């Protein structure tokens, strides 16, 4: 390319236009920071997330024929085919470390955006740092409702939060009651970190509003060596529905202890987390026939949208696992973020933020059963409809809402 | 919230569960008590020994389909070797520290705990494992509406047997007497031809083997991952201290007390506070008896 | 003769400390990178915390693995006062220090009857109780913790958006304060008592030394300084929850620098923190993203090796030849 005098003149007069041009010329790659727990008690979630993001990266950077944003063609079209590169950082479930890592990724690795974080407590500090540096933060898999209500401009969450999830559960109960099923009493069983507390609060609130009676509300210590006393109380209360909000470890112990103490609830409707993990079903799947869990993802969708199955296969070759509620949200989160960067045609934080805010992806261009992806002024996507899944015969089938359901709920569970 | 659940049956069930769990806590803790009693060293990697035992049991099941109950002696043997090797390779040198001996031991074993967790994550991945089907897993005995899960029941029996065996071993065998003598006066035993290091290595092996037994039993009903030891480590230290350092019987009694206190606290306080009951009882006991219930040191 | 040496050493220590503090104060002129600044802040903070821990556990010989309690109390007192009552963090910091010192003395009454491992476990257990209580205390935010509202740079509210310099200088001041308190106490009546207590508690008692009160004094000073550190940390991170300010890891992180550097010495905690904290941060940067636990392996191995090879801490590498020289 030769530079003519006219180009130089034009360039000199339009300095403002030159900046993005220069930026575009440099950006043969776009760097995105990924912050997860890669050591400590929840390292497994971090490692699984890494595989999900690498799968999304393959879809973005390579030429695939899925009906997803950025799937066709290589790299980001808006930035001349620039490739996306991921930098992984370990926050060890510590808000301070998450903060420090976010700052390091922004200032040293020069990331254009950050995605994370599994633990909600870490999302609090990471999103604060992102706000200060005006770098967008995509909260891929944090479900605490308080996160998007802090007035942050650079915070985005495409997936539902716990109040949306809990509302879906109660919509389901209402529908079942209309059909004549007796659902009056509930037992809440939640762990004592942010996830369980938030979930328990949301459920208690909605139950009160809709006239369901909570007969026990047990908050237990996460990773307890024994849950006998807790299960004993659940058994005595014997509510119509048991609603656990537990991570994998406690979920396994809960189900085993229930079997040992002879407690068979009528129905279990779980707040995801452990109840969407393969490890839990490997361990105690036989005792969980008919368990219902909320989710944002369902492999059933592959029947309607074949690409869901194909992308799931890509993930499976990397991780040996099917997509679950977390990994699917992580995959989708990166696609949505990269799409916004491409549309922003820039790696500048504010431009990406504006592009994210303008996101409008129809549901059938995702791998999720969502209506669409569009953020409200707080950065929350309210069109991410949760689904309820029932574990039947070794796999999950969608039972609610009706438009996504492929089967009727089996009630009582068995 | 909990008022409605306080029926007689619920109380008996809670106490029964607490007792079974307590005997298991005792079995987990006794290795720690033994090592401490022998040589005044607290092993801060004790929880990680338990983790290794659980993984060993898991892999014996996964690769050779050996039931955790059958593999328990194998796991105990494996942990015996592991414990002895750890002593000979690392702890032996910590014992030689001429200054700050206590701190050196605490932080050597603590560093070891971190390394063991890291290695477990490196080699076994951080995935949560568990043994889905075993002879005992998920089975339960019901007597008059009180449920006694078989894994914990067998664990309790193994615990009682192990304590009885240990008592016999220390008081009735030559090697046990050698251990006692070494503990009382390591300098003097050298004169009668007992190799202190061999006795200590044996002590570490035995302590590890006992936690190996506990790990094998637990593998049939608990989940397994690199950080699993952390949930049990503090309980084990409190159990030993409550019973009194240096007393093997103290660990037995301490375990039972911890199990029962944990179960009853959960009846009267929100379950998320049930450990507070254990800790409060520990503080209460040592304020009254600064050397624990049966401690001599 | 000994006294003269001692006085000379103390003068020398003070001069070295002043020079080091001056050099430290100038580093931000050359170090502009916020990541490095962040590491420096944490290093100074942990040096100060460990120095404070060292007063009770090193000089007085009462090994505490429960100082996270005071750290958390400092953080929570400051932020509860700030978010619920609008009390400025500077006052909250003092209030947190006083609350912690009072609680430390209250606990001292029963705790100082305990010896050895019984004492260590009691300190772990009391911090765990505190953690659990805060975890279940709805008014204090329970598990949700407290988010500190940030409205912009303000010295009054001690909060800054991007610049790290105020935090850096505060951490430096805390570190210097803790060092100076230690330096001053070393030569005070208390200092002599503590050495006596540590060397032989029973003999010290029979010599008429008021062992108990000197331990209480050590506990109060130590807890006060650690609580100030906790409130600084809360302002610095601008979010606290029970686990992230009262977890067991803080108790360890206060003890480790002193132990690795040289427990019960004036320079041990600073030296230990200067090596340990950058090391943990760098191993995490380098290996943390792998998800394979390599950072844990590196970190743990170093602790084992240093503990085994240098039981008196890293400081013994420097001071051994001088010590033998002085003895001659």
């Amino acid at each position: 390319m030769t530079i003519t005098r006219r180009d130089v003149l034009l360039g000199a007069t339009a300095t403002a236009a030159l900046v993005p041009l220069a930026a575009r010329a440099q950006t043969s790659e776009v760097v995105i920071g990924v912050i997860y727990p890669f050591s400590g008690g929840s390292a497994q979630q971090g490692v699984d997330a890494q595989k999900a993001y690498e799968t999304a990266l393959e879809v973005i950077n390579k030429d695939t024929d899925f009906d997803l944003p950025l799937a066709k063609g290589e790299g980001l079209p808006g930035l001349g085919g620039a490739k996306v590169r991921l930098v992984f950082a370990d926050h060890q479930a510590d808000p301070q470390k998450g903060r420090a890592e976010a700052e390091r990724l922004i200032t040293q690795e020069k990331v254009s955006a950050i995605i994370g974080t599994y633990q909600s407590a870490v999302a609090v500090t990471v999103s604060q740092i992102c706000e200060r540096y005006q770098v967008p933060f995509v909260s891929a898999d944090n479900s605490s409702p308080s996160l998007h209500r802090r007035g942050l401009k650079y915070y985005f969450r495409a997936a539902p939060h716990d109040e949306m999830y809990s509302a879906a559960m109660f919509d389901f109960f209402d529908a079942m009651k209309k059909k004549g099923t007796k659902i009056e009493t509930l037992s809440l069983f939640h762990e004592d970190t942010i996830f369980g507390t938030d979930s328990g609060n949301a459920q208690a609130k909605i139950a009160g509003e809709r006239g369901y009676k909570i007969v026990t509300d047990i908050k237990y210590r996460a990773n307890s060596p024994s849950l006998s006393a807790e299960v004993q109380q659940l058994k005595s209360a014997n509510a119509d529905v048991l609603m656990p909000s537990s991570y994998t470890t406690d979920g396994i112990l809960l189900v085993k202890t229930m079997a040992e103490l002879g407690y068979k609830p009528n129905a279990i409707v779980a707040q995801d987390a452990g109840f969407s993990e393969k490890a839990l079903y490997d361990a105690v799947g036989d005792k969980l026939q008919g368990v219902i869990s909320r989710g944002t993802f369902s492999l059933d969708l592959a029947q309607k949208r074949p690409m869901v199955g194909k992308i799931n296969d890509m993930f499976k070759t990397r991780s040996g696992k099917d997509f679950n509620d977390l990994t699917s949200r992580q995959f989708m989160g990166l696609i949505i973020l990269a799409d916004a960067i491409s549309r922003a045609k820039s790696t500048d934080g504010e431009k990406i933020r504006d592009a994210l805010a303008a996101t409008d992806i129809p549901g059938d261009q995702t791998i999720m059963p969502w209506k669409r992806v569009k953020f409200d002024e707080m950065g929350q996507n309210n069109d991410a409809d949760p689904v309820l899944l029932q574990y039947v015969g070794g796999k999950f089938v969608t039972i609610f809402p009706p438009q996504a359901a492929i089967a009727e709920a089996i009630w009582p569970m068995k | 919230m909990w008022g409605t659940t306080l029926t007689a049956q619920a109380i008996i069930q809670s106490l029964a569960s607490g007792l079974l769990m307590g005997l298991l806590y005792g079995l987990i803790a006794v290795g720690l008590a033994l090592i401490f009693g022998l040589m005044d060293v607290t092993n801060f990697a004790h929880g990680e020994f338990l983790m290794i035992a659980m993984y060993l049991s898991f892999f014996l099941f996964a690769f050779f389909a050996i039931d955790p109950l059958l593999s328990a002696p194998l796991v105990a043997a494996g942990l015996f070797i592991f414990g002895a090797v750890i002593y000979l390779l690392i702890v032996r040198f910590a014992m030689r520290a001429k200054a700050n001996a206590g701190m050196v031991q605490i932080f050597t074993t603590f560093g070891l705990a971190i390394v063991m967790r890291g290695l477990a994550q490196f080699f076994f991945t951080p995935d949560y494992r568990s043994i889905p089907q075993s002879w005992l897993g998920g089975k339960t005995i019901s007597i008059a509406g009180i449920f006694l899960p078989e894994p914990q029941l067998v664990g309790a029996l193994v615990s009682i047997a192990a304590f009885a065996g240990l008592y016999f071993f220390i008081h009735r065998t030559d090697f046990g007497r050698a251990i006692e003598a070494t503990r009382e006066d390591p300098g003097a035993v050298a004169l009668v031809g007992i190799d202190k290091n061999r006795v200590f290595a044996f002590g570490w092996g035995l302590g590890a083997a006992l936690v190996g037994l506990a790990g094998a039993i637990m593998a049939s009903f608990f989940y397994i991952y690199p950080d699993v030891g952390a949930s049990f480590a503090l309980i084990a230290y409190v159990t030993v201290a409550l019973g009194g350092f240096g007393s093997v019987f103290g660990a037995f009694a301490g375990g039972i007390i911890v199990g029962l206190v944990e179960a009853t606290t959960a009846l009267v306080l929100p379950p998320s506070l049930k450990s507070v009951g254990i800790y409060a009882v520990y503080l209460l006991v040592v304020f009254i008896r600064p050397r624990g219930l049966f401690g001599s040191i | 003769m000994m006294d003269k040496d001692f006085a000379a050493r103390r003068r020398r220590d003070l001069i070295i400390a002043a020079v080091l503090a001056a050099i430290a104060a100038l580093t931000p002129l050359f170090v502009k990178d916020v990541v490095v600044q962040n590491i420096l802040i944490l290093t100074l903070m942990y040096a100060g915390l460990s120095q404070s821990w060292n007063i009770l556990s090193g000089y007085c010989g009462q090994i505490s693995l429960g100082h996270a309690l005071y750290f958390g109390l400092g953080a929570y007192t400051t932020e509860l006062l700030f978010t619920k009552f609008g009390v400025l963090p500077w006052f909250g910091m003092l209030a947190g220090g006083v609350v912690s010192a009072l609680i430390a003395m209250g606990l001292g009454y029963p705790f100082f009857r305990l010896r050895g491992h019984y004492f260590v476990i009691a300190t772990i257990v009391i911090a765990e109780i505190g953690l659990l209580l805060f975890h279940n205390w709805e008014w204090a935010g329970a598990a949700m913790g407290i988010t500190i509202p940030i409205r912009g740079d303000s010295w009054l509210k001690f909060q800054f958006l991007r610049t790290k310099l105020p935090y850096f200088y505060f951490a430096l001041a805390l570190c210097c304060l803790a060092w100076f308190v230690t330096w001053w106490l070393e030569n005070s009546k208390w200092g002599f008592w503590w050495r006596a207590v540590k060397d032989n508690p029973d003999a010290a008692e029979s010599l008429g030394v008021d062992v108990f009160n000197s331990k209480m004094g050590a506990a109060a000073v130590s807890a006060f300084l650690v609580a100030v550190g906790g409130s600084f940390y809360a302002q610095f991170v601008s979010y606290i929850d029970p686990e992230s300010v009262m977890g067991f890891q803080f108790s360890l992180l206060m003890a480790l620098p002193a132990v690795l550097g040289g427990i019960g010495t004036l320079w041990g905690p600073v030296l230990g923190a200067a090596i340990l904290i950058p090391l943990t941060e760098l191993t995490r940067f380098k290996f943390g993203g792998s998800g394979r636990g390599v950072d844990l392996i590196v970190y743990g191995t170093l602790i084992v090796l240093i503990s085994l090879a240098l039981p008196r801490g890293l400081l013994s590498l420097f001071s051994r030849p001088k010590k033998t020289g002085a003895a001659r």
Side-chain angles (χ1 to χ4, degrees), chain B residues 268-289:
Chain B
V268 292
L269 284 180
S272 53
L273 285 172
K274 67 182 180 182
S275 306
V276 170
I278 302 174
Y279 303 150
V281 165
Y282 166 72
L283 291 178
L284 204 68
V285 166
V286 291
F287 291 160
I288 298 166
R289 294 177 62 89

Side-chain angles (χ1 to χ4, degrees), chain C residues 277-293:
Chain C
I277 304 301
L279 194 78
T280 43
E281 294 295 299
L282 294 176
T283 48
R284 195 181 74 243
F285 292 167
K286 195 111 188 77
F287 306 113
S290 71
R292 304 210 56 186

Side-chain angles (χ1 to χ4, degrees), chain C residues 154-167:
Chain C
S154 158
W155 271 103
L156 213 56
K157 291 180 184 165
F158 194 48
Q159 49 176 241
F160 303 89
L161 285 179
R162 287 197 194 179
T163 174
K164 298 224 171 294
L165 291 187
Y167 298 116

Side-chain angles (χ1 to χ4, degrees), chain A residues 252-263:
Chain A
I252 294 174
L253 191 60
L254 168 71
V255 177
K256 290 202 170 190
T257 311
M258 277 168 44
E260 288 163 3
L261 294 186
Y263 173 44

Side-chain angles (χ1 to χ4, degrees), chain B residues 36 42 94 99-100 103-104 107-108 110-112 114-115 121-122 234 241 244-245 272-273 279 282 286-287 290-291, chain C residues 63 110-111 113-114 117-118 124-125 128 132 136 252 256 259 263 291-292 296-297 300-301 303-304 307-308 311-312:
Chain B
F36 185 92
T42 306
N100 299 321
M103 293 308 281
V104 171
F107 284 94
T108 306
F110 171 73
L112 187 65
I114 298 180
V115 174
Q121 188 177 344
F122 190 84
L234 185 54
F245 280 108
S272 53
L273 285 172
Y279 303 150
Y282 166 72
V286 291
F287 291 160
R291 287 172 184 183
Chain C
I63 307 289
F111 273 52
R113 299 178 53 217
L114 306 176
H117 289 77
Y118 294 102
I124 298 177
V125 154
E128 281 295 304
L132 288 171
N136 287 278
L252 278 169
L256 269 177
V259 171
I263 187 172
R292 304 210 56 186
L296 296 181
I297 299 171
T301 306
I303 294 175
V304 173
S307 301
L308 287 181
R312 282 195 182 84

